Short mmCIF file of all heavy atoms in Angstrom, two decimals:
data_model
loop_
_atom_site.label_atom_id
_atom_site.label_comp_id
_atom_site.label_asym_id
_atom_site.label_seq_id
_atom_site.Cartn_x
_atom_site.Cartn_y
_atom_site.Cartn_z
N LEU A 1 120.40 104.73 118.59
CA LEU A 1 121.77 105.23 118.88
C LEU A 1 122.41 105.64 117.55
O LEU A 1 123.10 106.72 117.57
CB LEU A 1 122.58 104.10 119.60
CG LEU A 1 124.03 104.39 119.89
CD1 LEU A 1 124.17 105.66 120.72
CD2 LEU A 1 124.71 103.24 120.55
N LEU A 2 122.22 104.89 116.50
CA LEU A 2 122.85 105.23 115.22
C LEU A 2 122.32 106.64 114.77
O LEU A 2 123.05 107.48 114.26
CB LEU A 2 122.59 104.18 114.22
CG LEU A 2 123.03 104.55 112.78
CD1 LEU A 2 124.49 104.82 112.73
CD2 LEU A 2 122.60 103.43 111.77
N ALA A 3 120.99 106.80 114.88
CA ALA A 3 120.38 108.03 114.42
C ALA A 3 120.98 109.22 115.21
O ALA A 3 121.23 110.25 114.64
CB ALA A 3 118.86 107.96 114.67
N ILE A 4 121.15 109.10 116.51
CA ILE A 4 121.65 110.19 117.29
C ILE A 4 123.14 110.42 116.93
O ILE A 4 123.58 111.55 116.85
CB ILE A 4 121.50 109.92 118.80
CG1 ILE A 4 120.02 109.97 119.17
CG2 ILE A 4 122.27 110.90 119.66
CD1 ILE A 4 119.68 109.55 120.60
N ALA A 5 123.91 109.30 116.76
CA ALA A 5 125.31 109.45 116.37
C ALA A 5 125.45 110.18 115.03
O ALA A 5 126.37 111.00 114.97
CB ALA A 5 125.94 108.06 116.33
N LEU A 6 124.56 109.92 114.13
CA LEU A 6 124.67 110.65 112.83
C LEU A 6 124.33 112.13 113.06
O LEU A 6 124.79 112.97 112.26
CB LEU A 6 123.64 110.01 111.88
CG LEU A 6 123.95 108.64 111.37
CD1 LEU A 6 122.84 107.98 110.62
CD2 LEU A 6 125.25 108.65 110.53
N GLN A 7 123.54 112.47 114.04
CA GLN A 7 123.23 113.91 114.32
C GLN A 7 124.48 114.59 114.98
O GLN A 7 124.72 115.77 114.67
CB GLN A 7 122.06 114.02 115.28
CG GLN A 7 120.73 113.64 114.85
CD GLN A 7 119.67 113.73 115.90
OE1 GLN A 7 119.67 114.58 116.75
NE2 GLN A 7 118.74 112.80 115.88
N VAL A 8 125.21 113.86 115.82
CA VAL A 8 126.26 114.43 116.66
C VAL A 8 127.61 114.43 116.07
O VAL A 8 128.43 115.38 116.24
CB VAL A 8 126.19 113.78 118.03
CG1 VAL A 8 127.29 114.27 118.91
CG2 VAL A 8 124.85 114.01 118.73
N ALA A 9 127.95 113.33 115.33
CA ALA A 9 129.38 113.18 114.89
C ALA A 9 129.76 114.28 113.96
O ALA A 9 128.98 114.75 113.09
CB ALA A 9 129.44 111.82 114.16
N GLY A 10 130.98 114.76 114.14
CA GLY A 10 131.49 115.84 113.25
C GLY A 10 131.73 115.39 111.86
O GLY A 10 131.53 116.11 110.93
N ASN A 11 132.26 114.13 111.73
CA ASN A 11 132.73 113.78 110.37
C ASN A 11 132.23 112.39 109.86
O ASN A 11 131.98 112.23 108.77
CB ASN A 11 134.29 113.79 110.37
CG ASN A 11 134.83 115.14 110.64
OD1 ASN A 11 135.04 115.52 111.75
ND2 ASN A 11 135.10 115.86 109.56
N ARG A 12 132.19 111.44 110.81
CA ARG A 12 131.73 110.10 110.39
C ARG A 12 131.30 109.21 111.49
O ARG A 12 131.72 109.48 112.70
CB ARG A 12 132.77 109.34 109.55
CG ARG A 12 134.00 108.90 110.31
CD ARG A 12 134.92 108.05 109.44
NE ARG A 12 135.47 108.77 108.31
CZ ARG A 12 136.36 108.28 107.43
NH1 ARG A 12 136.78 106.98 107.62
NH2 ARG A 12 136.83 108.94 106.44
N VAL A 13 130.44 108.31 111.27
CA VAL A 13 130.03 107.28 112.14
C VAL A 13 130.53 105.92 111.63
O VAL A 13 130.34 105.64 110.45
CB VAL A 13 128.51 107.24 112.41
CG1 VAL A 13 128.10 106.10 113.33
CG2 VAL A 13 128.07 108.57 112.98
N VAL A 14 131.09 105.13 112.49
CA VAL A 14 131.65 103.88 112.07
C VAL A 14 131.02 102.76 112.92
O VAL A 14 130.94 102.85 114.14
CB VAL A 14 133.21 103.80 112.37
CG1 VAL A 14 133.76 102.39 112.07
CG2 VAL A 14 133.88 104.86 111.51
N VAL A 15 130.39 101.79 112.27
CA VAL A 15 129.63 100.72 112.92
C VAL A 15 130.34 99.39 112.62
O VAL A 15 130.50 98.95 111.48
CB VAL A 15 128.22 100.63 112.47
CG1 VAL A 15 127.46 99.52 113.25
CG2 VAL A 15 127.49 101.95 112.72
N LYS A 16 130.72 98.67 113.68
CA LYS A 16 131.37 97.36 113.55
C LYS A 16 130.30 96.27 113.55
O LYS A 16 129.47 96.24 114.44
CB LYS A 16 132.34 97.14 114.70
CG LYS A 16 133.16 95.90 114.72
CD LYS A 16 134.11 95.89 115.92
CE LYS A 16 134.98 94.66 115.87
NZ LYS A 16 135.93 94.58 117.08
N ARG A 17 130.35 95.43 112.54
CA ARG A 17 129.31 94.33 112.37
C ARG A 17 129.98 93.03 112.03
O ARG A 17 131.00 92.99 111.41
CB ARG A 17 128.31 94.75 111.27
CG ARG A 17 127.62 96.01 111.46
CD ARG A 17 126.66 96.00 112.59
NE ARG A 17 125.40 95.33 112.24
CZ ARG A 17 124.44 94.93 113.16
NH1 ARG A 17 124.74 95.07 114.42
NH2 ARG A 17 123.39 94.40 112.74
N PRO A 18 129.31 91.89 112.43
CA PRO A 18 129.71 90.60 111.79
C PRO A 18 129.57 90.72 110.27
O PRO A 18 128.71 91.41 109.76
CB PRO A 18 128.75 89.63 112.41
CG PRO A 18 128.24 90.32 113.69
CD PRO A 18 128.22 91.80 113.40
N ARG A 19 130.40 89.98 109.56
CA ARG A 19 130.50 90.21 108.12
C ARG A 19 129.13 90.01 107.45
O ARG A 19 128.78 90.70 106.45
CB ARG A 19 131.49 89.20 107.50
CG ARG A 19 131.78 89.44 106.05
CD ARG A 19 133.00 88.62 105.56
NE ARG A 19 132.70 87.17 105.69
CZ ARG A 19 132.16 86.42 104.79
NH1 ARG A 19 131.69 87.01 103.62
NH2 ARG A 19 131.98 85.16 105.01
N LYS A 20 128.34 89.00 107.88
CA LYS A 20 127.06 88.69 107.20
C LYS A 20 125.80 89.30 107.84
O LYS A 20 124.76 89.09 107.43
CB LYS A 20 126.89 87.22 107.04
CG LYS A 20 127.98 86.49 106.20
CD LYS A 20 127.73 85.02 106.10
CE LYS A 20 128.77 84.38 105.22
NZ LYS A 20 128.51 82.86 105.06
N ALA A 21 126.07 90.12 108.85
CA ALA A 21 124.92 90.73 109.57
C ALA A 21 124.33 91.88 108.75
O ALA A 21 125.03 92.56 107.98
CB ALA A 21 125.41 91.25 110.94
N PRO A 22 123.02 92.11 108.90
CA PRO A 22 122.40 93.23 108.18
C PRO A 22 122.90 94.52 108.80
O PRO A 22 123.33 94.54 109.95
CB PRO A 22 120.94 92.99 108.40
CG PRO A 22 120.82 92.27 109.68
CD PRO A 22 122.07 91.30 109.69
N ALA A 23 122.84 95.58 108.04
CA ALA A 23 123.12 96.90 108.52
C ALA A 23 122.08 97.30 109.53
O ALA A 23 120.97 96.80 109.56
CB ALA A 23 123.17 97.94 107.42
N ILE A 24 122.43 98.22 110.47
CA ILE A 24 121.46 98.71 111.42
C ILE A 24 120.38 99.50 110.66
O ILE A 24 120.63 100.17 109.71
CB ILE A 24 122.19 99.60 112.48
CG1 ILE A 24 123.13 98.81 113.31
CG2 ILE A 24 121.14 100.24 113.40
CD1 ILE A 24 123.96 99.61 114.28
N ASP A 25 119.18 99.34 111.15
CA ASP A 25 118.06 100.06 110.53
C ASP A 25 118.31 101.53 110.47
O ASP A 25 118.76 102.11 111.49
CB ASP A 25 116.72 99.83 111.28
CG ASP A 25 116.23 98.37 111.11
OD1 ASP A 25 116.61 97.75 110.18
OD2 ASP A 25 115.40 97.99 111.95
N GLY A 26 118.11 102.19 109.32
CA GLY A 26 118.32 103.63 109.15
C GLY A 26 118.95 103.82 107.78
O GLY A 26 118.74 102.98 106.87
N PRO A 27 119.55 105.03 107.58
CA PRO A 27 120.09 105.23 106.23
C PRO A 27 121.20 104.26 105.85
O PRO A 27 121.88 103.72 106.80
CB PRO A 27 120.65 106.68 106.36
CG PRO A 27 120.85 106.86 107.85
CD PRO A 27 119.81 106.09 108.55
N PRO A 28 121.41 103.92 104.66
CA PRO A 28 122.44 102.96 104.26
C PRO A 28 123.82 103.60 104.51
O PRO A 28 123.97 104.77 104.39
CB PRO A 28 122.20 102.73 102.78
CG PRO A 28 121.49 103.90 102.29
CD PRO A 28 120.66 104.38 103.47
N PRO A 29 124.82 102.76 104.83
CA PRO A 29 126.16 103.33 105.02
C PRO A 29 126.73 103.84 103.69
O PRO A 29 126.32 103.40 102.57
CB PRO A 29 126.97 102.11 105.48
CG PRO A 29 126.20 100.92 105.01
CD PRO A 29 124.76 101.33 105.10
N SER A 30 127.66 104.79 103.75
CA SER A 30 128.24 105.35 102.60
C SER A 30 129.11 104.32 101.86
O SER A 30 129.15 104.23 100.64
CB SER A 30 129.18 106.57 102.97
OG SER A 30 128.37 107.48 103.67
N TYR A 31 129.83 103.49 102.63
CA TYR A 31 130.59 102.35 102.09
C TYR A 31 130.96 101.48 103.26
O TYR A 31 130.68 101.75 104.39
CB TYR A 31 131.86 102.87 101.39
CG TYR A 31 132.88 103.65 102.25
CD1 TYR A 31 134.00 103.01 102.78
CD2 TYR A 31 132.72 105.00 102.49
CE1 TYR A 31 134.86 103.62 103.55
CE2 TYR A 31 133.65 105.67 103.27
CZ TYR A 31 134.76 104.98 103.82
OH TYR A 31 135.62 105.66 104.57
N THR A 32 131.46 100.29 102.90
CA THR A 32 131.84 99.32 103.88
C THR A 32 133.33 98.82 103.69
O THR A 32 133.80 98.87 102.54
CB THR A 32 130.95 98.08 103.88
OG1 THR A 32 131.08 97.40 102.66
CG2 THR A 32 129.52 98.49 104.05
N LEU A 33 133.96 98.47 104.75
CA LEU A 33 135.25 97.75 104.64
C LEU A 33 134.98 96.33 105.21
O LEU A 33 134.45 96.19 106.38
CB LEU A 33 136.28 98.45 105.51
CG LEU A 33 136.71 99.85 105.10
CD1 LEU A 33 137.66 100.43 106.13
CD2 LEU A 33 137.33 99.85 103.71
#
């Protein structure tokens, strides 16, 4: 789903995660909040 979202989104993809959870498999995020 993340891979497809990165193909389709016009400007950015935002993924909500528990603070200590690993990032979803794929390219690393540009930055985190």
Side-chain angles (χ1 to χ4, degrees):
L1 177 57
L2 173 61
I4 292 173
L6 290 170
Q7 293 176 35
V8 174
N11 299 86
R12 69 174 61 176
V13 176
V14 174
V15 181
K16 185 178 181 180
R17 301 292 279 167
R19 186 170 63 86
K20 296 183 179 181
I24 296 177
D25 288 343
S30 307
Y31 63 98
T32 64
L33 296 176

